[in-house]
Amino acid sequence: MTATDPTDRDSACFEAGIKFGALYHQFAGTPVSPDSAPSLETAIEESIENQPFCESVTVDILTEKLEAEIDHGYTELTGRFMEVEIVVDHEDVEVRTRMEMEDGYPLMKVESVSEK
């Protein structure tokens, strides 16, 4: 097997994966209610946007689903309550990623990779 240096495209995709790993594992388990969801969305977006190469983060906490799960005023944030889009720009390569539920699993995937 021949080893090669990672391309800018490889590095940009890796950076996008790092952002999703940080987002999910930093915020999963956070207490959330429909009333606190908007401020938590903003906190998640601003936190992840601080990371290098991150162009934008959009978090949509699905409040209707939260309401169905709440017993005692709140529930814990998990992937089933979020839809997320992250855009990374690394060395003029833009990677668009998304997380949404697919077959009962919060699937994180690359939507597109383009060179600027």
Side-chain angles (χ1 to χ4, degrees), residues 7-109:
T7 66
D8 291 340
R9 185 180 177 98
D10 296 335
S11 295
C13 288
F14 176 79
E15 286 294 335
I18 293 297
K19 308 308 178 250
F20 256 120
L23 183 150
Y24 195 86
H25 293 291
Q26 180 177 352
F27 291 99
T30 300
V32 63
S33 70
D35 291 340
S36 67
S39 62
L40 184 55
E41 289 170 343
T42 300
I44 294 169
E45 291 167 353
E46 291 179 357
S47 173
I48 302 305
E49 285 174 351
N50 283 322
Q51 295 184 33
F53 313 114
C54 194
E55 284 293 305
S56 66
V57 178
T58 305
V59 176
D60 184 20
I61 296 176
L62 308 172
T63 54
E64 316 79 46
K65 289 188 177 187
L66 284 179
E67 289 170 351
E69 295 282 328
I70 291 177
D71 266 344
H72 300 84
Y74 76 96
T75 190
E76 292 181 359
L77 187 65
T78 68
R80 72 181 185 274
F81 299 127
M82 292 188 288
E83 290 180 354
V84 180
E85 180 182 86
I86 298 176
V87 179
V88 167
D89 184 355
H90 183 329
E91 301 296 331
D92 291 327
V93 176
E94 182 181 90
V95 178
R96 290 187 171 275
T97 59
R98 173 169 287 291
M99 181 184 79
E100 56 194 2
M101 292 301 288
E102 190 169 305
D103 296 325
Y105 183 79
L107 186 63
M108 300 168 200
K109 59 185 172 184

